[in-house]
Every structure is written in structure tokens, then in C-alpha cells.
Amino acid sequence: MSLSDSETSNGGGASEYKPFRHISRDRLLYEMLTSAKSGDSKAWKVLIMDKVTVKVMSHSCKMADITDQEVSLVEDLFRRRQPLPSLDAVYFIQPSKENVVMFLSDMSGREPLYKKAFIFFSSPIPKELVNHIKCDTSVLPRIGALREMNLEYFPIDSQGFITDQETALQELYGNIDNTRRFNACLNNMAIRIATVFASLKELPNVWYRAAKDSDESTPTPNHELVPTKLADAVWDMVSKYKSTIPNFPQSETCDLLIVDRSIDQIAPVIHEWTYDAMCHDLLNMDGNKYIHEIPSKTGGQPESKEVLLEEHDTVWLELRHTHIADASERLHEKFTNFVSKNKAAQIQQSGRDGSELSTRDLQKMVQALPQYTEQVEKISLHVEIAGKINKIIRDTDLRELGQLEQDLVFGDAAAKDVISFLRTKQNTTPEYKLRLLMIYASVYPEKFEGDKATKLMQLAKLSPDDMKVISNMQLLAGSSKKKAVSSGFSLKFSNQKTTQAARKDRTNDEEETWSLFRFYPVIEEVIENLSKGELPKSDYACKNEPTIPVVKNSTRTNTRTQTAPAPTTAPHSMRSRRTANWARSRTSDDGYSSDSTLKNMSSDFKKMGKRIFVFIIGGATRSELRVCHKLTTKLRREVILGTTSMDDPPQHLTVITHLSFLAISSKGVVESSRNVDFYLSNVLIILIDHLLSSFITLCNLKFISSSINEVKGIFMN
């Protein structure tokens, strides 16, 4: 029995650079499941998890991966289980008193449930719980391993993870005075962030957004100190790894930047025009799950099918960060290219033209059917999704609203334009008008002082509950730095515009052909400044900043050479004709997207500089995740985004609405819908022949593609 972290967390040696998500998967499969073996036991074993660790596992591994490691059964720790005394059990659990009691109940006494137990804790276990286990002398001989895995985060992307704390914004920033809940939320957050560095064996320089200056007579509000307190807790935990984890770095190897949602209140509500963001904003998706209808094989009513828009889908991988118009154009090209190069599609098209199919043609078609069916399904799925999005854009006149939103952000529109829009666009949904006013309030906070907000509410025909969102934004932003305008509010404006910008326009540096593609989240500039060693010291501090002498008046001297190596080449545009090269993958000879992007990334990672981690307290956006992918290519440093939850605009509005009061269940958490039953119900891989639906889809693809082409023109600059 040993209580330690494994020496093989990188799953392949220190010289092999693996992407973030691959390391998480390899640790669970090889360091935990493969290592759980005893010489006198059968090969197959049982895996037992709690509600948190089953989500950790489901975010990193497929059930097929688990069964490949000779796991015959996956069980819930708190459910009644059948005794299997001839099999070993692997316990992957949180180090809580309840979990330890359940484990001891399983393995103590004359007839334990399993032959031998291998226990892996998701985070550091308190000494009192270790002593509690050691006190049961009947259990000790039955323990094959007792280790701290230190893996309690949830990968959601190859470069992103969450701590699964959807109520963090309310608990840390809401208008409540509950110290116990505040500390528990912050502590759980720190533990889960720290386990990221334990898994990757990285020791970070911990940067954080410093609290705003306040008068000596007025104590700094608790919510202003959240990034500081989180930085302290993370650094304390990561520092202990130097002495507890074998081969853990003794000097800093990467950068961690901790900020909160107040850094950018526009990014969560503005309409983002990339394929990924629009899918999650405009479509009724449950996380990454999209439900669509497919023709019935029996000729009956259409059947519903669930698909996951994730990185295993190579078409999604190629299109997710592109502009919606560019994605539509690529889908049209992809379909045309697919038909011209795929034998089955060519033969089927010729058959539809009236010519008779020969036996040899049919043989070729049958040989191409498996690949043909898979490719048709992928292309048709995304053609359907893009078609739905484009229809919503047309039906809701979203193009004009999106233009006004971005004009406000970049100082090209003022109060007059907002008033004009609210007067003339009465049919705009309340949600869209509220999001517009939230952007307006972020750029022009003085326009909402006194009774001005009430007049805007009446003009927009919003309810007081809707407008409460605007006032709750102040709980995050604190007191505004901008001075109020001396003149009173009026719905009549002079011809002269008074504008102010929340962003600096960067389109000259990064050329784009599509319009409505110039918005970028604040975090993009912050990460670039961090990489160059140019974070403003008035706004950001570091727990363990390297003591390197600063050379004044030097020509862009990097003061943190050890953690942020200067680029080896001069900066240049990475843009292609319509979108960034980092968002465009290659196409394979079969006429649709291949996984060449992932293959190229894995080789490029070996040449990368030190990682950059950014953690956003209170939820992150799709645009911020996109920026991390983009900057990984631009800076030649893998940028990983962490956050408490990944929020789409409707979710963010709900959170902000309830920011000043917190109604929470007796358990103190909002549990995810991904529980053990849900995970286990999706572990079977069912092979279904969709040949009929594929043919029907092919007949309709051309029609749908033409409707997509209709939309492309409105986005051309």
C-alpha cells in the first residue's frame, strides 16, 4: 500500500509533449486502471466511482476506453451492489468522510464485496481519513493501492476545462453574507485547479487580477478579493506538490492567470458570429448535445437522433471557429467535392439521372457504402444546422442588431443609435433588447444613472425584472470609473454623436473579409500581454514572480524571459482569404474533413513554448475558448482556458438575474444532468444502417445548400 501520486502522469515520458486533454485521459486509463493489478486475481475488475468522479471520467474517456482496460462493470459507490468476491475493485472517489465510510463498509468483515481494492483519490486526502482507514485491520490486507490521483477537473475541450461550479458567481459575488458557503466554493475551486497542475506536472507563476484601490477607512469588499484569495489557495496547494509528487518541477514551468467575470461583461452577451457560438446561442442545445430528426427506415414518422458536437466530429472540428457565412460556404464546397470524389455518390447520382446501374456499378457502390454513409451523415448534419442558423438570422433580422452591438463596442455608435433601434425594432425579442442594453451599459454606464434606466426600460418595453440584470452588473463591476454626464437624460438627441469605445479595433492587424467578425474578448489582449511580460502592474500581481532585474528604457525587453520566451520570428498575419489559418483544417482525398488538424497539432506541440493557463471565475464564453486556440498558434504556446462553467448567453442572463439573491438546494450545489445512469446508458455503441436516410438526405442537400448560399452575401465586407 502506498500513498503517493504516480511518477508517470505524462503517460509517456517527459520528452513527449501531449495535449492537455490527452494527458487527462492517459492518466485515468494507464496510471489508474492499468496499474490496478494483483498477481493472483482475474484480469477483469470493477470500477466504482461517486457522482463527481464519474463526471471526471466521462469528460475524459469513452466507455470503450474503459473496457479496453479490462473493466467489466462500472458501479455507483452509493448504490447497493452485488458481491463479486473473485474480482478486484478500483475505487476512484473523492476523499470525503462519507466515501471512506462506504469503502470500509464494502471491504471490511469476513465477506468483503471484492477480492482486493485499489483506491485512487481525486484530490489530496486529509491525514485523519488515512488514519481512519488504517484503524480497520481487516481492510488493510485487502488494499492493493492507496493513492492520490489529484485529478478532479472536467476537460471540455482539447484546451479547456471547468471546475463544474455553475453557482460560483452567486456564491462569491452575490449580495449574500454566508462565509461558510463562500469559503467552501473557493476551496473546491482551488483544489480542482491545483489538480490540473498535478496531472500535467507543471509549477506555475500564479498571476491574478489585483483588487482595486480603496480608501484606508473603507475595507476592500469581499468580492473584490476573490481572485487574490483564489491565487493564494492555488499557490499553497501547488507548492505542496513539490514535496509530495515524485519528479514534480522545483521551479516554475508555466504561467497561470486568474481573473473574474468582471474583466469583460460584454463577451458573455454579445452575439458571436462563429459557428460554435451561434450553435450554442441560437439553437436549443443541451450542452454539446444536438437533437435532430432523421427519416424513418420504415417509412413512418421521422425519428429523433442525438449527436454530440465535439472534437471527434472532424467536420465540427474544422468549422467551429469559422464565421457562420464561411462555414456555410465550406459546407457547400464540401458537399460538391464529396460528390465528385466519392464513387457511391457518383453512381447514385447517375442512377437518379435515369441511366441503368450495372452489376459492377452496384458492386463498387456496396464497397463504398460504409464510408459513404458516415460521410453523408456528417455533412448532412452540419448542412441542416447551418441552414437552421441562417434561417434564424434572417427571420429575427439579427444582422442589423449584430452590427449595432459591434458598433457600440468599437465606438462607431452612440446613444442615438440605440434609441433609434429600440423605437423602430419593436418586434425584437426581449432577450435581444436586454443584451443590447447590457452592452450599452458597459460602454455608457452613465446613461443608466437615476431615472434614466427606467426611461430606457419603458422604451424597450422590458419589465423591472429584466432591467434588474443591468443593476446586478454593478455587483460585478463595482463602482464605475466613468463620470456621469452632467446633462439630464432625454430621448431626443442632437445631431452630434458622442461616442466612447470599449475595444480598440484590430482589424488592420488581422484582415477579414466577413463582416461582424471584428469583436474579440478582453482576455485576448491580456494573454498577449502576459506572454510578452507586459501585464500592467497596477492591475495584476504575481504570487511568485521571478526575481529578474528589469532593464528600464529597453527596446521591448521581456522582463520574464524564463517564463515567456520571445517569438523567434516577426509577427505576421495568419489570416487566409476569409478566416484564420488556425481555424482551417485540411481536407482529405475523400472529399470531407480529416483529422489532419489533430495530427499536425500533436507534432507542433513538441516545438511549443511554456504553457499559459487562464482561469475565469464566474463562467467563460465560446469566444474566449476560441481565443485560446487562436493564440496557441500565434504565440507558439499552448493556451488552456479554465473556468467554473462554460456559459452561453441565455445561461449568463439567468445567472446575472439571480446574482443579488441565491436560492440553492439543501445539498448546496446544482448537480449536473450527467450522472452515473446517464453515463452508463450511453456506453453501448450501436451500429445502425442509415443508408436510406443518407440517400434521402443527398436528395435534399442541394436544395439546403442553395438556401445557405443565399445568406453568404450579406456578410461580405
Side-chain angles (χ1 to χ4, degrees):
M1 182 181 73
S2 63
L3 180 60
S4 64
D5 208 327
S6 173
E7 299 183 19
T8 59
S9 62
N10 282 332
S15 61
E16 184 177 356
Y17 197 114
K18 290 188 177 182
F20 161 72
R21 198 172 197 175
H22 291 186
I23 294 176
S24 308
R25 173 183 176 273
D26 288 354
R27 288 200 68 210
L28 291 169
L29 295 180
Y30 307 123
E31 180 181 332
M32 185 175 75
L33 296 181
T34 302
S35 66
K37 290 182 179 180
S38 57
D40 58 343
S41 298
K42 293 183 179 180
W44 292 95
K45 48 188 172 278
V46 182
L47 175 60
I48 302 165
M49 297 179 283
D50 57 36
K51 290 187 186 300
V52 170
T53 54
V54 77
K55 287 191 287 185
V56 172
M57 182 70 75
S58 65
H59 276 79
S60 299
C61 307
K62 299 177 182 178
M63 193 60 191
D65 298 329
I66 297 173
T67 55
D68 285 346
Q69 301 305 314
E70 300 176 326
V71 172
S72 60
L73 187 63
V74 178
E75 295 270 32
D76 183 345
L77 177 65
F78 284 91
R79 285 204 173 174
R80 192 177 192 130
R81 285 166 275 125
Q82 178 184 358
L84 297 169
S86 63
L87 296 182
D88 290 344
V90 177
Y91 285 81
F92 179 38
I93 56 178
Q94 286 187 294
S96 67
K97 183 177 180 180
E98 296 80 7
N99 287 355
V100 169
V101 169
M102 285 299 299
F103 158 69
L104 292 176
S105 174
D106 290 348
M107 298 303 297
S108 61
R110 293 184 177 180
E111 297 181 355
L113 293 186
Y114 310 105
K115 185 173 184 178
K116 220 169 190 58
F118 297 81
I119 307 98
F120 297 87
F121 292 107
S122 58
S123 56
I125 180 172
K127 290 183 179 179
E128 56 268 24
L129 290 183
V130 177
N131 294 331
H132 188 47
I133 295 173
K134 290 180 177 180
C135 288
D136 196 326
T137 55
S138 66
V139 172
L140 284 179
R142 298 166 184 165
I143 296 179
L146 184 65
R147 296 180 184 170
E148 292 174 346
M149 273 296 288
N150 288 317
L151 203 166
E152 200 176 295
Y153 55 91
F154 309 88
I156 55 168
D157 183 86
S158 60
Q159 292 174 227
F161 71 93
I162 60 173
T163 57
D164 197 31
Q165 296 172 291
E166 296 179 356
T167 60
L169 205 61
Q170 296 102 311
E171 293 181 38
L172 300 178
Y173 295 88
N175 190 19
I176 59 173
D177 186 17
N178 191 324
T179 304
R180 182 189 60 81
R181 185 174 290 159
F182 179 95
N183 291 336
C185 177
L186 207 62
N187 186 60
N188 286 338
M189 198 180 301
I191 288 173
R192 292 177 180 178
I193 295 171
T195 64
V196 172
F197 298 99
S199 292
L200 273 63
K201 287 194 173 178
E202 295 266 22
L203 181 63
N205 287 302
V206 182
W207 299 84
Y208 59 96
R209 196 179 192 198
K212 298 175 183 177
D213 295 333
S214 59
D215 298 332
E216 294 182 1
S217 58
T218 307
T220 304
N222 216 23
H223 67 267
E224 289 275 359
L225 296 172
V226 170
T228 305
K229 292 183 176 182
L230 182 60
D232 290 341
V234 171
W235 174 244
D236 288 344
M237 293 176 186
V238 172
S239 298
K240 294 176 183 177
Y241 291 152
K242 292 196 289 185
S243 58
T244 58
I245 297 180
N247 300 326
F248 195 82
Q250 300 300 301
S251 59
E252 290 75 7
T253 61
C254 63
D255 287 304
L256 165 65
L257 173 63
I258 297 174
V259 297
D260 61 14
R261 191 62 271 166
S262 66
I263 192 176
D264 187 354
Q265 297 209 62
I266 295 176
V269 294
I270 195 170
H271 282 90
E272 259 274 312
W273 293 83
T274 58
Y275 186 48
D276 180 9
M278 300 218 87
C279 283
H280 288 88
D281 189 359
L282 303 184
L283 304 181
N284 186 23
M285 292 179 59
D286 178 12
N288 289 336
K289 187 196 306 179
Y290 175 75
I291 301 176
H292 69 123
E293 291 186 345
I294 59 173
S296 172
K297 292 194 300 180
T298 60
Q301 292 294 323
E303 301 172 356
S304 295
K305 181 180 179 181
E306 295 180 356
V307 292
L308 292 177
L309 300 182
E310 292 181 342
E311 292 173 335
H312 67 272
D313 181 345
T314 50
V315 178
W316 170 258
L317 191 65
E318 176 186 351
L319 299 179
R320 59 179 177 171
H321 294 147
T322 62
H323 191 285
I324 180 60
D326 189 26
S328 301
E329 181 182 75
R330 290 201 204 183
L331 283 169
H332 179 72
E333 294 173 353
K334 196 176 293 293
F335 166 69
T336 304
N337 192 33
F338 168 73
V339 172
S340 67
K341 292 187 177 183
N342 188 279
K343 293 179 181 178
Q346 291 173 0
I347 295 171
Q348 197 222 356
Q349 288 281 9
S350 64
R352 192 180 296 120
D353 294 339
S355 57
E356 206 171 300
L357 296 179
S358 66
T359 304
R360 183 170 180 79
D361 287 339
L362 289 173
Q363 184 181 11
K364 290 180 179 178
M365 189 172 178
V366 170
Q367 291 173 348
L369 282 181
Q371 183 187 30
Y372 167 82
T373 303
E374 178 187 358
Q375 295 172 15
V376 165
E377 286 181 352
K378 286 184 178 180
I379 295 175
S380 62
L381 168 67
H382 291 284
V383 167
E384 175 190 323
I385 293 174
K388 280 187 178 181
I389 292 174
N390 287 324
K391 185 177 186 303
I392 293 173
I393 292 172
R394 292 194 303 269
D395 293 348
T396 60
D397 207 8
L398 193 56
R399 171 71 169 77
E400 185 175 347
L401 174 60
Q403 187 67 60
L404 177 56
E405 289 176 346
Q406 298 208 11
D407 286 347
L408 274 174
V409 171
F410 290 100
D412 298 329
K416 179 180 179 180
D417 303 286
V418 176
I419 300 302
S420 174
F421 181 89
L422 294 176
R423 279 175 171 167
T424 58
K425 300 293 181 181
Q426 296 290 331
N427 293 330
T428 303
T429 64
E431 178 193 324
Y432 287 0
K433 288 189 283 189
L434 180 57
R435 288 166 64 173
L436 174 64
L437 289 182
M438 291 176 74
I439 297 170
Y440 184 40
S442 295
V443 182
Y444 294 93
E446 68 276 4
K447 299 295 184 182
F448 289 79
E449 295 179 354
D451 64 344
K452 300 175 185 178
T454 303
K455 294 181 179 180
L456 278 171
M457 177 190 75
Q458 294 170 350
L459 179 63
K461 296 183 179 179
L462 296 175
S463 68
D465 286 341
D466 290 330
M467 292 301 292
K468 184 179 181 181
V469 174
I470 306 294
S471 59
N472 283 352
M473 290 173 65
Q474 298 303 315
L475 289 173
L476 282 178
S479 58
S480 175
K481 294 180 180 179
K482 298 176 181 177
K483 299 290 184 181
V485 179
S486 57
S487 59
F489 178 81
S490 173
L491 296 184
K492 296 181 180 180
F493 291 81
S494 63
N495 293 329
Q496 184 179 3
K497 286 186 179 180
T498 56
T499 59
Q500 51 200 46
R503 298 285 192 282
K504 176 185 176 184
D505 199 335
R506 309 178 76 183
T507 52
N508 292 333
D509 300 329
E510 300 176 353
E511 297 178 2
E512 289 292 351
T513 300
W514 303 115
S515 63
L516 296 179
F517 209 19
R518 57 175 177 161
F519 174 78
Y520 61 91
V522 168
I523 199 69
E524 180 172 345
E525 284 188 326
V526 175
I527 294 172
E528 288 178 335
N529 289 336
L530 172 63
S531 183
K532 294 183 292 187
E534 297 177 357
L535 282 179
K537 293 187 179 296
S538 58
D539 296 328
Y540 297 92
C542 185
K543 291 293 299 179
N544 52 328
E545 186 172 5
T547 54
I548 300 176
V550 178
V551 181
K552 295 184 178 180
N553 300 325
S554 62
T555 306
R556 296 181 71 86
T557 301
N558 192 336
T559 60
R560 297 191 312 102
T561 307
Q562 292 183 355
T563 59
T568 55
T569 58
H572 63 281
S573 176
M574 297 292 291
R575 295 292 180 175
S576 63
R577 181 168 60 93
R578 285 190 174 86
T579 193
N581 287 331
W582 55 268
R584 182 186 293 275
S585 70
R586 302 177 183 178
T587 54
S588 58
D589 293 337
D590 59 16
Y592 89 119
S593 175
S594 71
D595 62 349
S596 57
T597 300
L598 290 178
K599 293 177 182 177
N600 292 336
M601 283 174 58
S602 60
S603 60
D604 288 345
F605 275 140
K606 297 177 182 178
K607 305 173 185 177
M608 294 249 178
K610 298 174 180 179
R611 288 187 176 101
I612 296 176
F613 296 83
V614 180
F615 190 85
I616 302 177
I617 306 167
T621 69
R622 306 283 163 182
S623 61
E624 287 160 338
L625 183 57
R626 170 175 58 87
V627 158
C628 292
H629 284 272
K630 170 185 173 181
L631 293 181
T632 294
T633 299
K634 182 177 180 180
L635 303 177
R636 307 300 301 163
R637 299 177 67 179
E638 186 184 11
V639 182
I640 297 173
L641 175 69
T643 183
T644 48
S645 58
M646 185 61 65
D647 294 339
D648 302 312
Q651 295 169 282
H652 183 73
L653 289 180
T654 301
V655 170
I656 297 296
T657 301
H658 298 90
L659 188 58
S660 60
F661 59 91
L662 183 62
I664 200 163
S665 67
S666 59
K667 292 183 180 179
V669 296
V670 177
E671 292 184 358
S672 169
S673 60
R674 279 190 176 186
N675 53 27
V676 178
D677 291 335
F678 176 79
Y679 184 50
L680 296 182
S681 67
N682 287 277
V683 303
L684 297 179
I685 302 174
I686 305 173
L687 299 177
I688 303 174
D689 182 10
H690 289 301
L691 180 59
L692 177 61
S693 62
S694 300
F695 286 160
I696 295 174
T697 303
L698 258 182
C699 297
N700 296 323
L701 272 175
K702 192 170 184 180
F703 171 76
I704 299 174
S705 296
S706 64
S707 68
I708 290 176
N709 287 335
E710 180 185 335
V711 180
K712 293 189 301 182
I714 67 175
F715 292 102
M716 296 294 292
N717 282 339

